[in-house]
Amino acid sequence: MTTKQTIPSDEDLTAFIDGELTAEEAARIEAMVKEDESVAERLELLARASLPFKQAFAPLLAEAPREKLQAMLAAIPVQESAKSSPAPVFASRRRFLGALAASLVAGIAIDRAVIGIGARISAKDENSEWRAVVADYISLYTAETFAGPAPGREDQAAQLAGLDEKLGLSLSPEAVSLPGIDFKRALLLQYDGKALAQIAYLDPETGPMALCIVKSDKGPKAPDLESRKGMNVVYWSNATHAFMLIGRIPVDRMKELGEDVSKRLSA
């Protein structure tokens, strides 16, 4: 009698993606991926959500207290057998996030990063997929990530101007302002080979927020609401771009903010 194998947990699948399993464990999951469509789909979803954090936060780590980070990394065990594992080779997110945490405790802020998000997407669900990927890394932000004074209007305008050419937009501080919420910085990222703008804010009560914009030909869509990673999202699109406002502000307030900024960006 054949005993059905236990379905691997997300933690097991993530370790498989990161190349941290023994050859035997990796072979077991690889076999299940071939035999069980649900396992294959879950593995693909987790693999798509694997962000290259190391490249994204390289400027931060370059300034980090190296001795403290090295001590933290040295304390995390690494299985030698993972080197021979047939699993895909990705940088270990666990080790990197440990280093990132140490950097944030030291008070080092991220200034400007370009994140290449290696996401394979299906055309029919493109708008949903990019929001899921964005939510993954926004969920890593804390109030300490954006510590320090808010830039003045002139600095805001200069940062936004750096996004205009890539996005084909003309963004002004007034168009992207959120009442009672501090503008912190504008970043240029990359999603599926396309420029993605992230305008980061810090709400004094609920923490980090972001307005993200990417080119899209999916057509106009009125603002709608969803929840991702414990955060509320208002998303909409016009003929040329898709937008999302994400944060931990209550739903009613988030809806008001999203509708307000969508009107200003359409004006």
Side-chain angles (χ1 to χ4, degrees):
M1 179 177 176
T2 302
T3 302
K4 186 176 181 180
Q5 296 190 66
T6 303
I7 299 298
S9 65
D10 283 358
E11 183 178 357
D12 292 335
L13 293 175
T14 300
F16 177 82
I17 292 169
D18 290 340
E20 295 180 347
L21 296 180
T22 64
E24 181 180 353
E25 292 169 333
R28 181 181 69 85
I29 289 181
E30 199 170 52
M32 293 196 69
V33 168
K34 294 177 181 178
E35 297 171 1
D36 191 322
E37 185 177 349
S38 66
V39 175
E41 290 176 354
R42 188 63 186 165
L43 179 66
E44 183 178 2
L45 177 62
L46 292 172
R48 287 203 305 265
S50 298
L51 306 182
F53 296 114
K54 184 174 181 181
Q55 295 90 331
F57 294 106
L60 182 153
L61 291 179
E63 300 178 27
R66 293 182 180 276
E67 292 183 5
K68 186 173 183 179
L69 296 183
Q70 288 171 354
M72 177 173 280
L73 295 181
I76 302 175
V78 179
Q79 296 181 2
E80 289 298 325
S81 56
K83 296 179 181 179
S84 60
S85 169
V89 180
F90 293 97
S92 170
R93 284 171 287 181
R94 294 179 181 82
R95 274 176 283 158
F96 178 74
L97 291 178
L100 177 58
S103 302
L104 294 178
V105 168
I108 299 171
I110 306 164
D111 183 28
R112 185 180 183 89
V114 177
I115 301 179
I117 303 173
R120 290 176 294 158
I121 59 175
S122 58
K124 66 179 181 181
D125 198 27
E126 177 181 359
N127 284 339
S128 175
E129 185 66 26
W130 84 276
R131 296 194 304 272
V133 176
V134 167
D136 276 334
Y137 69 81
I138 296 296
S139 67
L140 298 175
Y141 291 166
T142 68
E144 287 75 19
T145 307
F146 301 115
R153 188 197 181 284
E154 189 173 318
D155 287 340
Q156 292 181 30
Q159 291 183 34
L160 292 169
L163 308 177
D164 289 347
E165 182 180 352
K166 294 289 187 179
L167 286 172
L169 287 173
S170 181
L171 301 172
S172 68
E174 291 75 21
V176 301
S177 66
L178 301 179
I181 300 171
D182 288 339
F183 175 112
K184 282 299 185 176
R185 58 178 61 95
L187 301 131
L188 180 64
L189 299 91
Q190 182 176 306
Y191 169 77
D192 194 41
K194 298 181 291 188
L196 185 155
Q198 178 199 291
I199 302 160
Y201 308 84
L202 185 62
D203 176 61
E205 295 182 0
T206 62
M209 294 182 62
L211 171 64
C212 298
I213 309 169
V214 67
K215 285 186 176 180
S216 174
D217 59 1
K218 299 302 175 182
K221 176 177 176 55
D224 203 350
L225 286 164
E226 65 183 5
S227 177
R228 292 184 182 274
K229 293 288 183 177
M231 296 173 286
N232 293 315
V233 180
V234 179
Y235 62 97
W236 69 96
S237 61
N238 58 26
T240 56
H241 294 82
F243 307 80
M244 67 179 286
L245 182 66
I246 181 170
R248 293 180 173 83
I249 283 181
V251 170
D252 290 345
R253 177 62 174 150
M254 180 66 80
K255 183 178 179 182
E256 291 177 3
L257 291 170
E259 291 178 346
D260 181 45
V261 75
S262 69
K263 291 176 183 175
R264 282 185 271 123
L265 288 171
S266 300

